[in-house]
């Protein structure tokens, strides 16, 4: 664990009034949720992005696509947020109790799980949608899941029918070839503009426009710290690089702040 880097991060956070926590799949890795690209068993090493994550793949075989996302939702429901998610959720209160000022912490995540919310984070912006927000592929209204826990063993499953128009319900995630939700991205850009510090946790930084956010923060002269066991495409845009896993580095960072 790189405690010197963590100390440097703590030094900056203690002075910050507005903090953005930008997360990717590595944030949820220690909850047992697969990442996309950093390991041989990561999702995009085992599954084809065109088949599982594009409008064309959905048109080709929506039963396969729906079963896959339902399996992923089932895996998330079976797991729990880890100590790192909880540390992020406690960051604002911890800083307030240390120096007495209100501190705003906003999570901007590329993750489609709900682990930040379940850990207690109150401001979470989802740039890539959510496994828990299905919508109609035809009329775009919010959809409902079939009752009960998803069966993770199925390779094909009928998507539910839209209650309003009878269309197919699709996963509420952003696919390759689709735009990021405009409102969420604009909000994230504004948060970066006004923050004093940004933590970048568990992202490879290869997917744009999400990866623009830490780069913009760096170019605006903000303090940007990365917590990741490996270097990423955004490492060069950070002020401090901390080589640590999220479930270990973040609780230790919180302890350092509490002991100021
Ligand atoms: P990736 O799978 O591309 O990258 C995971 C990152 O997490 C890597 O940099 C790892 O080194 C790091 N990592 C692994 N274990 C970690 C741990 N325990 N603690 C901290 N970091 C760890 O995931 P993303 O960068 O999130 O998009 O991928 C970006 C987007 O690509 C995803 O949102 C998804 C995917 O296609 C959509 O689905 C639209």
């Amino acid at each position: 664990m790189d405690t010197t880097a963590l100390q440097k991060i703590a030094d900056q956070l203690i002075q910050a009034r507005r903090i953005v926590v930008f997360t990717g799949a590595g944030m949820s890795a220690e909850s047992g949720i697969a990442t996309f690209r950093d390991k041989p068993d990561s999702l995009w090493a085992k599954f084809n992005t065109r088949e599982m994550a594009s409008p064309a793949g959905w048109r080709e075989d929506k039963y396969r696509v729906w079963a896959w996302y339902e399996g992923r939702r089932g895996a998330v429901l079976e797991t729990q947020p880890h100590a790192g998610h909880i540390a992020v959720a406690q960051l604002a209160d911890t800083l307030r109790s240390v120096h007495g000022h209100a501190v705003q912490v906003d999570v901007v995540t590329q993750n489609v799980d709900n682990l930040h919310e379940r850990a207690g984070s109150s401001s979470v912006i989802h740039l890539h949608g959510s496994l828990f927000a299905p919508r109609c592929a035809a009329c775009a209204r919010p959809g409902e899941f079939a009752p009960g826990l998803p069966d993770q063993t199925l390779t094909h499953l009928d998507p539910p029918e839209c209650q309003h128009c009878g269309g197919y319900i699709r996963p509420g995630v952003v696919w390759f070839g689709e735009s990021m939700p405009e409102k969420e991205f604009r909000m994230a850009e504004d948060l970066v503009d006004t923050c004093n510090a940004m933590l970048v946790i568990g992202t490879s930084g290869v997917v744009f426009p999400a990866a623009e956010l830490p780069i913009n923060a760096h170019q605006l002269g903000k303090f940007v710290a990365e917590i990741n066991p490996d270097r990423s495409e955004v490492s060069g845009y950070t002020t401090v690089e901390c080589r640590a896993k999220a479930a270990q580095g973040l609780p230790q960072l919180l302890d350092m702040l509490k002991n100021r």
Side-chain angles (χ1 to χ4, degrees):
M1 174 84 64
D2 188 349
T3 47
T4 313
L6 282 177
Q7 284 292 352
K8 285 188 192 156
I9 300 173
D11 289 345
Q12 291 294 322
L13 293 190
I14 209 88
Q15 300 169 45
R17 300 295 294 270
R18 299 181 63 84
I19 298 168
V20 172
V21 179
F22 178 63
T23 62
M27 179 76 220
S28 299
E30 289 150 288
S31 286
I33 304 299
T35 55
F36 291 96
R37 359 182 122 66
D38 66 314
K39 296 206 176 70
D41 63 344
S42 291
L43 292 178
W44 297 153
K46 292 200 300 193
F47 297 96
N48 184 300
T49 52
R50 190 187 164 281
E51 283 176 8
M52 297 305 195
S54 80
W58 170 256
R59 279 194 297 275
E60 238 167 61
D61 191 344
K62 52 180 70 66
Y63 309 94
R64 174 180 64 194
V65 172
W66 183 252
W68 192 64
Y69 284 92
E70 279 295 87
R72 287 177 59 197
R73 184 170 71 92
V76 170
L77 288 172
E78 262 181 8
T79 189
Q80 300 297 327
H82 59 60
H85 292 105
I86 292 166
V88 168
Q90 294 178 346
L91 186 56
D93 282 351
T94 301
L95 286 168
R96 193 180 48 216
S97 66
V98 173
H99 56 47
H101 305 298
V103 177
Q104 176 70 25
V105 175
D106 297 285
V107 176
V108 176
T109 189
Q110 298 164 87
N111 297 344
V112 294
D113 61 48
N114 57 7
L115 295 176
H116 283 299
E117 289 93 332
R118 280 166 60 193
S121 283
S122 52
S123 167
V124 184
I125 295 177
H126 284 268
L127 295 179
H128 290 165
S130 167
L131 290 170
F132 298 88
R135 66 171 188 274
C136 177
C139 73
R141 288 188 177 97
E144 304 271 333
F145 293 114
L149 276 180
D151 182 341
Q152 295 175 52
T153 63
L154 296 179
T155 58
H156 285 75
L157 179 64
D158 285 348
E161 212 174 78
C162 175
Q163 304 291 310
H164 299 276
C165 76
Y168 289 108
I169 296 300
R170 59 158 279 179
V173 304
V174 177
W175 284 330
F176 289 96
E178 294 184 324
S179 306
M180 210 182 261
E182 211 176 295
K183 182 172 134 239
E184 277 76 2
F185 193 60
R186 217 174 308 120
M187 278 163 65
E189 285 186 310
D190 288 346
L191 291 172
V192 168
D193 254 2
T194 53
C195 77
N196 311 112
M198 184 179 203
L199 297 182
V200 180
I201 307 164
T203 182
S204 55
V206 300
V207 172
F208 284 80
E212 276 172 16
L213 295 170
I215 296 173
N216 288 351
H218 173 79
Q219 284 167 350
L220 288 167
K222 313 284 180 179
F223 173 82
V224 183
E226 176 174 62
I227 298 181
N228 192 317
D230 296 310
R231 273 188 70 78
S232 75
E233 289 299 311
V234 288
S235 298
Y237 298 94
T238 55
T239 327
V240 176
E241 292 174 39
C242 174
R243 297 285 150 244
K245 291 185 171 184
Q248 288 148 36
L250 288 162
Q252 191 161 341
L253 178 63
L254 203 73
D255 281 346
M256 286 175 178
L257 292 168
K258 282 179 184 161
N259 294 324
R260 290 290 167 125

